[in-house]
Amino acid sequence: MPRPEWSEYFMGITRMVARRSTCLRRKVGAILVKDKRILATGYNGAPSGLKHCEEVGCLRETSSVPSGHRHELCRALHAEQNAIVQAACHGIPINGATLYCTNKPCVICAKMIINAGILKVYYEEDYDDPLADQMMAEADIALERLCI
């Protein structure tokens, strides 16, 4: 088996992180990397100490909310948000970092990525959010889909 390239290596770890997700609809993982070092990881799930969706059910699912709408009805933080928050909680600077994520970020995550100073985002699965794409382009943050 050949040694994986860096992007393949980090995306493989990102997929493993996604397996920790407690979301009933979509399992997403994210990692922040700088200088080939992992700074923080995150997956989508409820805030620390609160019951997860797999325990209490999914309000968005029972209300038939389509994907990409009414994010405020979800108990969970997105994987990208959790990675950024974990870095902040532990005093890890992420300005200039690269984000690897199993899914392309939504507009809420895009705004956090911009303000956190993340320079590039690699993702695997597409997520249709034109405003997120527009804001990331305006902020000159490179988005690259990896098909590994």
Side-chain angles (χ1 to χ4, degrees):
M1 177 181 266
R3 187 176 186 203
E5 296 294 326
W6 285 108
S7 59
E8 182 181 357
Y9 170 73
F10 289 128
M11 192 55 77
I13 293 169
T14 303
R15 281 189 222 107
M16 179 60 74
V17 171
R19 292 177 54 192
R20 291 279 308 151
S21 169
T22 57
C23 180
L24 300 173
R25 295 178 105 184
R26 184 188 316 253
K27 306 244 182 252
V28 181
I31 66 172
L32 289 164
V33 175
K34 190 171 184 179
D35 300 326
K36 298 179 183 165
R37 302 289 181 256
I38 297 171
L39 304 176
T41 67
Y43 53 86
N44 53 335
S48 297
L50 300 186
K51 290 183 179 181
H52 292 280
C53 301
E54 59 189 16
E55 299 172 79
V56 298
C58 175
L59 180 59
R60 290 167 49 85
E61 191 69 33
T62 58
S63 301
S64 300
V65 176
S67 178
H69 298 274
R70 305 290 313 269
H71 292 283
E72 76 278 5
L73 294 178
C74 183
R75 292 182 66 82
L77 283 89
H78 288 184
E80 305 94 318
Q81 295 168 351
N82 266 327
I84 292 168
V85 168
Q86 284 304 308
C89 284
H90 296 285
I92 301 167
I94 59 173
N95 190 39
T98 297
L99 176 79
Y100 287 81
C101 194
T102 55
N103 292 75
K104 189 167 149 187
C106 72
V107 69
I108 295 167
C109 291
K111 291 185 272 189
M112 290 182 71
I113 289 164
I114 292 164
N115 275 3
I118 295 166
L119 300 179
K120 186 164 189 165
V121 176
Y122 289 104
Y123 66 95
E124 215 170 32
E125 293 180 31
D126 210 3
Y127 184 78
D128 187 29
D129 192 331
L131 184 56
D133 295 343
Q134 177 189 344
M135 292 180 84
M136 297 280 266
E138 187 178 340
D140 202 28
I141 295 173
L143 276 171
E144 185 176 331
R145 187 171 187 182
L146 293 178
C147 298
I148 300 171

Short mmCIF file of all heavy atoms in Angstrom, two decimals, residues 30-66:
data_model
loop_
_atom_site.label_atom_id
_atom_site.label_comp_id
_atom_site.label_asym_id
_atom_site.label_seq_id
_atom_site.Cartn_x
_atom_site.Cartn_y
_atom_site.Cartn_z
N ALA A 30 -14.48 17.36 10.91
CA ALA A 30 -13.61 18.46 10.48
C ALA A 30 -12.33 18.41 11.29
O ALA A 30 -12.35 18.06 12.47
CB ALA A 30 -14.31 19.80 10.67
N ILE A 31 -11.23 18.78 10.65
CA ILE A 31 -9.97 18.96 11.37
C ILE A 31 -9.30 20.24 10.88
O ILE A 31 -9.44 20.62 9.72
CB ILE A 31 -9.01 17.76 11.25
CG1 ILE A 31 -8.50 17.56 9.82
CG2 ILE A 31 -9.65 16.49 11.77
CD1 ILE A 31 -7.41 16.51 9.72
N LEU A 32 -8.61 20.89 11.79
CA LEU A 32 -7.83 22.08 11.47
C LEU A 32 -6.36 21.69 11.46
O LEU A 32 -5.88 21.04 12.41
CB LEU A 32 -8.09 23.18 12.50
CG LEU A 32 -9.47 23.81 12.41
CD1 LEU A 32 -9.79 24.58 13.67
CD2 LEU A 32 -9.54 24.71 11.18
N VAL A 33 -5.66 22.08 10.41
CA VAL A 33 -4.28 21.68 10.20
C VAL A 33 -3.43 22.91 9.88
O VAL A 33 -3.87 23.80 9.14
CB VAL A 33 -4.18 20.67 9.03
CG1 VAL A 33 -2.74 20.34 8.70
CG2 VAL A 33 -4.98 19.42 9.33
N LYS A 34 -2.23 22.94 10.44
CA LYS A 34 -1.27 23.99 10.10
C LYS A 34 0.12 23.38 10.15
O LYS A 34 0.44 22.67 11.10
CB LYS A 34 -1.38 25.17 11.07
CG LYS A 34 -0.57 26.38 10.64
CD LYS A 34 -0.90 27.58 11.51
CE LYS A 34 -0.18 28.81 11.03
NZ LYS A 34 -0.49 29.97 11.85
N ASP A 35 0.90 23.66 9.14
CA ASP A 35 2.26 23.12 9.05
C ASP A 35 2.28 21.59 9.21
O ASP A 35 3.12 21.03 9.92
CB ASP A 35 3.18 23.77 10.09
CG ASP A 35 3.29 25.27 9.89
OD1 ASP A 35 3.26 25.72 8.73
OD2 ASP A 35 3.40 25.99 10.91
N LYS A 36 1.31 20.93 8.59
CA LYS A 36 1.18 19.47 8.60
C LYS A 36 0.96 18.90 9.99
O LYS A 36 1.28 17.74 10.26
CB LYS A 36 2.39 18.81 7.92
CG LYS A 36 2.53 19.20 6.47
CD LYS A 36 3.73 18.56 5.84
CE LYS A 36 3.84 19.05 4.41
NZ LYS A 36 5.14 18.77 3.82
N ARG A 37 0.39 19.71 10.88
CA ARG A 37 0.07 19.28 12.24
C ARG A 37 -1.41 19.52 12.51
O ARG A 37 -1.94 20.58 12.18
CB ARG A 37 0.88 20.07 13.27
CG ARG A 37 2.38 19.95 13.12
CD ARG A 37 2.89 18.56 13.51
NE ARG A 37 4.33 18.45 13.38
CZ ARG A 37 4.95 17.82 12.38
NH1 ARG A 37 4.26 17.27 11.42
NH2 ARG A 37 6.25 17.74 12.34
N ILE A 38 -2.06 18.56 13.13
CA ILE A 38 -3.47 18.69 13.48
C ILE A 38 -3.59 19.56 14.71
O ILE A 38 -2.97 19.29 15.75
CB ILE A 38 -4.12 17.32 13.72
CG1 ILE A 38 -4.08 16.50 12.42
CG2 ILE A 38 -5.56 17.49 14.21
CD1 ILE A 38 -4.50 15.06 12.59
N LEU A 39 -4.37 20.63 14.60
CA LEU A 39 -4.56 21.57 15.71
C LEU A 39 -5.79 21.24 16.53
O LEU A 39 -5.79 21.40 17.75
CB LEU A 39 -4.68 23.00 15.16
CG LEU A 39 -3.54 23.50 14.29
CD1 LEU A 39 -3.86 24.88 13.74
CD2 LEU A 39 -2.24 23.51 15.09
N ALA A 40 -6.87 20.85 15.86
CA ALA A 40 -8.13 20.55 16.55
C ALA A 40 -9.01 19.72 15.63
O ALA A 40 -8.85 19.75 14.41
CB ALA A 40 -8.85 21.85 16.94
N THR A 41 -9.93 19.00 16.25
CA THR A 41 -10.91 18.22 15.49
C THR A 41 -12.31 18.59 15.95
O THR A 41 -12.49 19.14 17.05
CB THR A 41 -10.70 16.70 15.70
OG1 THR A 41 -11.02 16.36 17.06
CG2 THR A 41 -9.28 16.27 15.39
N GLY A 42 -13.29 18.27 15.14
CA GLY A 42 -14.68 18.51 15.52
C GLY A 42 -15.61 17.63 14.71
O GLY A 42 -15.30 17.25 13.58
N TYR A 43 -16.72 17.29 15.30
CA TYR A 43 -17.78 16.56 14.60
C TYR A 43 -19.09 17.18 15.01
O TYR A 43 -19.18 17.89 16.01
CB TYR A 43 -17.74 15.06 14.91
CG TYR A 43 -17.75 14.71 16.38
CD1 TYR A 43 -18.94 14.59 17.09
CD2 TYR A 43 -16.56 14.53 17.06
CE1 TYR A 43 -18.95 14.29 18.43
CE2 TYR A 43 -16.55 14.22 18.41
CZ TYR A 43 -17.75 14.09 19.09
OH TYR A 43 -17.75 13.79 20.43
N ASN A 44 -20.15 16.94 14.23
CA ASN A 44 -21.41 17.56 14.56
C ASN A 44 -22.09 16.77 15.69
O ASN A 44 -22.19 15.56 15.66
CB ASN A 44 -22.32 17.73 13.33
CG ASN A 44 -22.54 16.47 12.53
OD1 ASN A 44 -21.74 15.55 12.54
ND2 ASN A 44 -23.64 16.42 11.81
N GLY A 45 -22.50 17.55 16.69
CA GLY A 45 -23.16 16.97 17.86
C GLY A 45 -23.57 18.06 18.82
O GLY A 45 -23.20 19.22 18.67
N ALA A 46 -24.32 17.67 19.81
CA ALA A 46 -24.85 18.61 20.81
C ALA A 46 -23.70 19.22 21.64
O ALA A 46 -22.63 18.62 21.75
CB ALA A 46 -25.82 17.90 21.74
N PRO A 47 -23.93 20.39 22.22
CA PRO A 47 -22.91 20.99 23.09
C PRO A 47 -22.55 20.05 24.24
O PRO A 47 -23.36 19.22 24.68
CB PRO A 47 -23.61 22.25 23.62
CG PRO A 47 -24.63 22.59 22.59
CD PRO A 47 -25.10 21.25 22.06
N SER A 48 -21.32 20.19 24.72
CA SER A 48 -20.81 19.33 25.79
C SER A 48 -21.77 19.26 26.97
O SER A 48 -22.29 20.29 27.42
CB SER A 48 -19.46 19.85 26.29
OG SER A 48 -18.50 19.80 25.26
N GLY A 49 -22.02 18.06 27.43
CA GLY A 49 -22.86 17.85 28.61
C GLY A 49 -24.35 17.79 28.33
O GLY A 49 -25.13 17.46 29.22
N LEU A 50 -24.77 18.10 27.10
CA LEU A 50 -26.19 18.04 26.75
C LEU A 50 -26.51 16.73 26.04
O LEU A 50 -25.64 16.10 25.46
CB LEU A 50 -26.58 19.22 25.86
CG LEU A 50 -26.36 20.62 26.44
CD1 LEU A 50 -26.93 21.66 25.48
CD2 LEU A 50 -26.99 20.76 27.81
N LYS A 51 -27.78 16.35 26.09
CA LYS A 51 -28.20 15.13 25.42
C LYS A 51 -28.06 15.28 23.90
O LYS A 51 -28.31 16.35 23.35
CB LYS A 51 -29.64 14.79 25.79
CG LYS A 51 -29.77 14.35 27.22
CD LYS A 51 -31.19 13.95 27.55
CE LYS A 51 -31.25 13.52 29.01
NZ LYS A 51 -32.59 13.09 29.38
N HIS A 52 -27.66 14.21 23.28
CA HIS A 52 -27.47 14.19 21.84
C HIS A 52 -28.77 13.84 21.13
O HIS A 52 -29.69 13.26 21.71
CB HIS A 52 -26.38 13.18 21.46
CG HIS A 52 -25.03 13.59 21.93
ND1 HIS A 52 -24.26 14.50 21.25
CD2 HIS A 52 -24.31 13.22 23.02
CE1 HIS A 52 -23.12 14.68 21.89
NE2 HIS A 52 -23.12 13.93 22.97
N CYS A 53 -28.83 14.18 19.87
CA CYS A 53 -30.02 13.93 19.05
C CYS A 53 -30.39 12.45 19.03
O CYS A 53 -31.56 12.10 19.01
CB CYS A 53 -29.80 14.44 17.63
SG CYS A 53 -29.46 16.20 17.56
N GLU A 54 -29.38 11.58 19.05
CA GLU A 54 -29.67 10.15 19.04
C GLU A 54 -30.38 9.72 20.34
O GLU A 54 -30.99 8.66 20.37
CB GLU A 54 -28.42 9.33 18.79
CG GLU A 54 -27.31 9.52 19.79
CD GLU A 54 -26.00 8.86 19.37
OE1 GLU A 54 -25.86 8.50 18.19
OE2 GLU A 54 -25.13 8.70 20.24
N GLU A 55 -30.32 10.56 21.37
CA GLU A 55 -31.01 10.27 22.64
C GLU A 55 -32.40 10.91 22.69
O GLU A 55 -33.32 10.33 23.25
CB GLU A 55 -30.20 10.81 23.82
CG GLU A 55 -28.83 10.21 23.98
CD GLU A 55 -28.04 10.93 25.05
OE1 GLU A 55 -28.28 10.65 26.24
OE2 GLU A 55 -27.19 11.77 24.68
N VAL A 56 -32.53 12.12 22.14
CA VAL A 56 -33.78 12.86 22.28
C VAL A 56 -34.54 13.04 20.96
O VAL A 56 -35.64 13.58 20.95
CB VAL A 56 -33.54 14.26 22.92
CG1 VAL A 56 -32.98 14.11 24.31
CG2 VAL A 56 -32.67 15.13 22.06
N GLY A 57 -33.95 12.61 19.87
CA GLY A 57 -34.60 12.75 18.57
C GLY A 57 -34.17 14.04 17.87
O GLY A 57 -33.50 14.89 18.45
N CYS A 58 -34.58 14.13 16.63
CA CYS A 58 -34.19 15.27 15.78
C CYS A 58 -35.41 16.13 15.48
O CYS A 58 -36.33 15.67 14.77
CB CYS A 58 -33.56 14.75 14.49
SG CYS A 58 -33.16 16.04 13.30
N LEU A 59 -35.42 17.34 16.00
CA LEU A 59 -36.53 18.26 15.77
C LEU A 59 -36.67 18.59 14.29
O LEU A 59 -37.77 18.68 13.76
CB LEU A 59 -36.33 19.53 16.59
CG LEU A 59 -37.40 20.61 16.45
CD1 LEU A 59 -38.77 20.06 16.86
CD2 LEU A 59 -37.05 21.81 17.31
N ARG A 60 -35.56 18.74 13.60
CA ARG A 60 -35.60 19.07 12.17
C ARG A 60 -36.22 17.92 11.38
O ARG A 60 -36.99 18.14 10.46
CB ARG A 60 -34.19 19.38 11.67
CG ARG A 60 -33.64 20.69 12.21
CD ARG A 60 -32.15 20.85 11.98
NE ARG A 60 -31.73 20.57 10.62
CZ ARG A 60 -31.75 21.47 9.63
NH1 ARG A 60 -32.15 22.69 9.86
NH2 ARG A 60 -31.37 21.13 8.42
N GLU A 61 -35.93 16.71 11.78
CA GLU A 61 -36.48 15.53 11.09
C GLU A 61 -37.98 15.41 11.35
O GLU A 61 -38.76 15.22 10.41
CB GLU A 61 -35.75 14.27 11.57
CG GLU A 61 -36.04 13.04 10.75
CD GLU A 61 -35.46 13.09 9.35
OE1 GLU A 61 -34.39 13.69 9.14
OE2 GLU A 61 -36.11 12.55 8.44
N THR A 62 -38.38 15.54 12.62
CA THR A 62 -39.81 15.40 12.94
C THR A 62 -40.64 16.55 12.38
O THR A 62 -41.83 16.39 12.17
CB THR A 62 -40.02 15.29 14.47
OG1 THR A 62 -39.48 16.45 15.10
CG2 THR A 62 -39.37 14.04 15.03
N SER A 63 -39.99 17.69 12.12
CA SER A 63 -40.70 18.85 11.55
C SER A 63 -40.56 18.91 10.03
O SER A 63 -40.99 19.88 9.40
CB SER A 63 -40.16 20.15 12.15
OG SER A 63 -40.32 20.15 13.55
N SER A 64 -39.91 17.90 9.44
CA SER A 64 -39.70 17.81 7.98
C SER A 64 -38.98 19.04 7.42
O SER A 64 -39.32 19.54 6.35
CB SER A 64 -41.03 17.60 7.26
OG SER A 64 -41.64 16.41 7.67
N VAL A 65 -38.00 19.54 8.17
CA VAL A 65 -37.20 20.68 7.71
C VAL A 65 -36.18 20.16 6.70
O VAL A 65 -35.41 19.26 7.02
CB VAL A 65 -36.48 21.37 8.90
CG1 VAL A 65 -35.58 22.49 8.41
CG2 VAL A 65 -37.50 21.90 9.89
N PRO A 66 -36.18 20.71 5.49
CA PRO A 66 -35.21 20.23 4.50
C PRO A 66 -33.78 20.62 4.85
O PRO A 66 -33.55 21.60 5.56
CB PRO A 66 -35.66 20.91 3.20
CG PRO A 66 -36.56 22.02 3.59
CD PRO A 66 -37.07 21.73 4.97
#
